[in-house]
Amino acid sequence: MDVALVGLVLAGVENLSLAVLSDAVERAGMESTIVSLSGWGDIDAATGAVLRRRPRVCGISIQTGESALASLAFSRVLRARGYAGTIVSG
């Protein structure tokens, strides 16, 4: 796995930023996956999903000011649980 893209995923609503990033990764010949992070309650599940896939890069999409703190906490938990790859967020 090359890239895990983490961000808000809602049923019936496309997250355009994650879709565009996923498409760009795949056009570059790499593999990507999208992992849902909808808030504080998803941090453990999202961390486990990323760690199981073992991507070289984890990209975190920060959609709103309200989601920023949970997204940054996710990155700290991910690193604390042993993720050694590159983490980018924006």
Side-chain angles (χ1 to χ4, degrees):
M1 171 61 54
D2 296 302
V3 180
L5 299 169
V6 180
L8 183 62
V9 178
L10 300 173
V13 179
E14 181 180 31
N15 182 322
L16 187 57
S17 64
L18 292 180
V20 168
L21 289 168
S22 180
D23 186 54
V25 167
E26 290 172 8
R27 279 186 286 140
M30 296 181 285
E31 184 181 0
S32 71
T33 189
I34 294 177
V35 175
S36 179
L37 178 65
S38 298
W40 293 101
D42 290 340
I43 289 177
D44 284 333
T47 300
V50 171
L51 291 174
R52 281 190 300 278
R53 289 174 173 94
R54 303 178 66 192
R56 293 183 299 133
V57 176
C58 179
I60 305 168
S61 175
I62 301 174
Q63 298 280 315
T64 65
E66 291 83 20
S67 69
L69 192 54
S71 297
L72 296 175
F74 164 76
S75 69
R76 291 184 57 100
V77 170
L78 185 63
R79 187 67 79 204
R81 292 192 184 165
Y83 180 71
T86 300
I87 299 173
V88 295
S89 61

